Amino acid sequence: MTLVAVVGPSGAGKDAVIDGARRHFAADPRVIFPQRVITRPAGPGEEHRPATEDEFAARERAGGFAVHWDAHGLRYGIPAAVAGAVREGAVAVVNVSRGVIAALPEVFGDVRVVRISVPEDVRRSRILARGREGTADARARLERPDPAPEAGVDLEIVNDGPLPDAVASLVRFLEGIGR
């Protein structure tokens, strides 16, 4: 049915908003929240499928990704099975780089883009507080330019208030897909 591509800068709270929506739709098999494969060890933050560089490259060569990209010195991939689930009627919600948005319709058909944003001061404090990156990596994330500034969005969520408000916005949007 639809891929919902959630985009936004590091520190905007994409993972927290997606996790809240995941909990809301836990009993609804129509809405899925596939884990990305990332060349980062398991740890705090987003639940993902960790992979070494070699494992990622092997999976890429074998056609194991519907789409993949590089950012922040890491490799990210959406498993190929997600495209099949979307073709079979699922609404899949995935955190992606804006740099791959143009490629998504060819793979998934119907794509909706949700951008999550936050004021820069809040974003800076979140990135520094999460402790997932060293100082240099945190600085690089804060200074990274938007990879696709011209990409349109279907929903903008400004995540600067209570998290349940941002989650409710995403939930309402997902409930409206396919009506």
Side-chain angles (χ1 to χ4, degrees), residues 15 51 72-73 87 91 97 100 109 120 133 174:
D15 295 330
H72 312 296
R87 280 191 299 274
V91 174
S97 169
V100 300
E120 280 302 303
E133 303 89 3
L174 296 172

Side-chain angles (χ1 to χ4, degrees), residues 30-41:
R30 181 183 75 96
V31 183
I32 62 172
F33 297 83
Q35 289 183 337
R36 300 184 299 178
V37 176
I38 306 175
T39 57
R40 175 176 62 214

Side-chain angles (χ1 to χ4, degrees), residues 5 31 60 71 89 96 102 106 123-124 130 132-133 143 153 156 165 171 178:
V31 183
E60 179 183 354
V96 304
E106 183 178 326
R123 188 169 87 88
R124 177 176 303 282
R130 69 187 181 190
R132 196 166 67 198
E133 303 89 3
E143 294 172 357
V153 298
E156 175 89 28
D165 292 350
V171 165

Side-chain angles (χ1 to χ4, degrees), residues 20-137:
R22 178 185 293 116
R23 287 189 299 277
H24 177 85
F25 288 102
D28 186 346
R30 181 183 75 96
V31 183
I32 62 172
F33 297 83
Q35 289 183 337
R36 300 184 299 178
V37 176
I38 306 175
T39 57
R40 175 176 62 214
E46 171 190 7
E47 285 190 35
H48 64 282
R49 296 179 185 173
T52 66
E53 288 285 342
D54 290 342
E55 290 166 342
F56 193 98
R59 193 166 180 176
E60 179 183 354
R61 283 190 304 273
F65 297 117
V67 65
H68 57 85
W69 64 95
D70 298 344
H72 312 296
L74 300 170
R75 305 204 64 206
Y76 297 79
I78 299 172
V82 177
V86 168
R87 280 191 299 274
E88 292 172 10
V91 174
V93 182
V94 182
N95 178 349
V96 304
S97 169
R98 289 186 69 182
V100 300
I101 289 175
L104 298 177
E106 183 178 326
V107 177
F108 295 99
D110 185 34
V111 175
R112 312 287 173 90
V113 178
V114 173
R115 180 173 49 214
I116 299 178
S117 62
V118 68
E120 280 302 303
D121 59 326
V122 174
R123 188 169 87 88
R124 177 176 303 282
S125 65
R126 286 179 183 172
I127 288 174
L128 295 174
R130 69 187 181 190
R132 196 166 67 198
E133 303 89 3
T135 304
D137 289 340

